[in-house]
Amino acid sequence: MDQFIANTNIVLVIVLLVLGFVFLIKGADFFVEGSSSVAKRFHVPSIIIGLTVVAMGTSLPETAVSVTASLVNNNTLAISNAVGSNIFNIMVVIGVCAILTPVAVSRQTIVQDIPVSAICAIILAALGMLGIADATNMTLGHLDGAIMLIVFAIYLFVLVRTAMKSAKSRGAEAKEEELKEDEVKVISVPLSLLFIIGGAAAIAFGGKLTVSTASRIASDLGMSQTLIGLTIVSIGTSLPELVTSVVAARKNEVDMALGNAVGSNIFNILMVLGIASVLSPINFITENIIDIVVLLVFTLVVWLFGATKKSIARVEGLIMVLLYVAYAVYICIR
């Protein structure tokens, strides 16, 4: 496939890139639906399914791209995809939602989720800079990836335990609410397995196709792998979050929009880059550090917007989108 993409027309390469995104997004949908159905059949509470299977599902496209990029030694694409997706999620996805309708910000998001997201970005930068192989090479190695996955497991355990305690304290009312709002579809076991296997295959194929076509486009246009990862690839893998949030905003159902975006950012760093670096060491470059600093600054901006009035207003949403545009211009000319 790599040889075909390397020798084919650039227009067809762009079409294949879009096709790669389609495989990633639809594959993740099928994988999540199949996995959720199996979990429901084993009587796993809906709240745990939502916090694990469904939440991880939104990060599957980023996982596929970053892991594939890492395995083919396209290391800068692996990191820039995850960091770029995080910046897009928190500035554009939430910003567009706020422009459509003010986004409510819960106390948990202000006190817990956003600070944890910032800490994850700091951990990523620290591990990348400390893993110095030589005087000029910074690396995110196997051990660094293992550390991130351990932190991820601890975070997930605390998240599920807290949610279960909260649901238990609400008692019968919580169970009744869960029954009313349970959107996990239970399908037959053979169909569930088909969804899981087919979804995983589509994700793997989409990841490979996306990395190969993105690398070819970057080469033809004289763009760096970091730039292509921060723009085209990161936006493409974040499309599910954007579409879902915009639809929710149009229906005035954005109460959890910011929390979901921030949670996705935590998954992208700890799970996506954790898996990628465990499989194959990832080289860190100066631009990666700069982009992580930008992510931290943007996270602080969103935290300030949310903490002031417990919501993000339309004007603040517009400011967030404009800040992202300014950042996009910067990375294109640097």
Side-chain angles (χ1 to χ4, degrees):
M1 184 171 67
D2 287 339
Q3 188 173 1
F4 171 76
I5 291 174
N7 298 322
T8 195
N9 185 277
I10 186 65
V11 175
L12 180 57
V13 172
I14 294 173
V15 172
L16 290 174
L17 174 65
V18 174
L19 186 62
F21 289 144
V22 172
F23 272 99
L24 284 172
I25 294 167
K26 296 309 295 181
D29 286 343
F30 281 117
F31 184 86
V32 168
E33 187 170 347
S35 301
S36 299
S37 178
V38 170
K40 196 64 179 175
R41 281 189 176 273
F42 283 96
H43 306 292
V44 177
S46 298
I47 192 167
I48 293 181
I49 297 174
L51 290 171
T52 54
V53 178
V54 177
M56 289 181 191
T58 61
S59 293
L60 283 177
E62 287 88 351
T63 305
V65 170
S66 291
V67 168
T68 303
S70 177
L71 290 175
V72 298
N73 293 319
N74 193 345
N75 295 318
T76 51
L77 183 60
I79 295 179
S80 60
N81 169 49
V83 175
S85 291
N86 281 11
I87 293 174
F88 185 84
N89 281 346
I90 202 165
M91 299 304 284
V92 177
V93 173
I94 301 304
V96 169
C97 282
I99 291 172
L100 294 174
T101 181
V103 175
V105 183
S106 69
R107 184 179 182 278
Q108 177 182 321
T109 300
I110 296 170
V111 175
Q112 176 182 305
D113 297 338
I114 294 180
V116 170
S117 176
I119 290 171
C120 289
I122 293 171
I123 290 174
L124 174 61
L127 290 176
M129 289 188 291
L130 289 174
I132 299 176
D134 55 56
T136 59
N137 188 27
M138 297 181 291
T139 307
L140 200 64
H142 299 298
L143 179 59
D144 301 314
I147 291 172
M148 287 195 289
L149 288 178
I150 291 171
V151 174
F152 175 68
I154 295 171
Y155 167 75
L156 207 57
F157 174 77
V158 172
L159 191 67
V160 170
R161 188 176 180 183
T162 303
M164 290 297 290
K165 279 186 176 181
S166 176
K168 191 175 181 180
S169 66
R170 287 182 294 166
E173 182 183 342
K175 289 183 180 180
E176 185 179 344
E177 182 180 326
E178 183 176 317
L179 287 172
K180 288 180 180 178
E181 298 184 357
D182 187 4
E183 296 181 355
V184 177
K185 296 179 181 178
V186 180
I187 55 181
S188 67
V189 173
L191 187 58
S192 296
L193 294 176
L194 181 63
F195 276 18
I196 293 171
I197 295 171
I203 291 167
F205 177 74
K208 174 67 174 174
L209 190 60
T210 300
V211 170
S212 298
T213 51
S215 299
R216 164 67 194 279
I217 293 171
S219 176
D220 281 16
L221 299 180
M223 301 168 67
S224 68
Q225 297 296 329
T226 300
L227 177 57
I228 204 82
L230 288 168
T231 53
I232 298 174
V233 178
S234 65
I235 292 173
T237 55
S238 294
L239 285 177
E241 288 92 340
L242 178 61
V243 173
T244 302
S245 296
V246 168
V247 170
R250 292 179 67 86
K251 295 180 179 179
N252 289 321
E253 298 174 355
V254 291
D255 293 346
M256 295 297 292
L258 180 55
N260 290 340
V262 174
S264 179
N265 284 6
I266 295 171
F267 278 53
N268 284 348
I269 289 178
L270 296 180
M271 183 182 79
V272 173
L273 292 181
I275 294 173
S277 53
V278 161
L279 293 175
S280 178
I282 303 174
N283 291 333
F284 239 62
I285 58 177
T286 305
E287 283 81 0
N288 295 145
I289 304 299
I290 295 173
D291 295 326
I292 293 172
V293 171
V294 170
L295 174 60
L296 283 169
V297 172
F298 284 170
T299 302
L300 177 61
V301 169
V302 175
W303 183 82
L304 289 172
F305 283 166
T308 49
K309 297 179 180 178
K310 301 298 184 294
S311 69
I312 299 177
R314 287 187 171 88
V315 173
E316 292 168 332
L318 180 60
I319 292 172
M320 290 162 61
V321 173
L322 291 176
L323 283 173
Y324 180 83
V325 172
Y327 165 72
V329 172
Y330 158 71
I331 60 175
C332 287
I333 63 176
R334 73 179 178 188

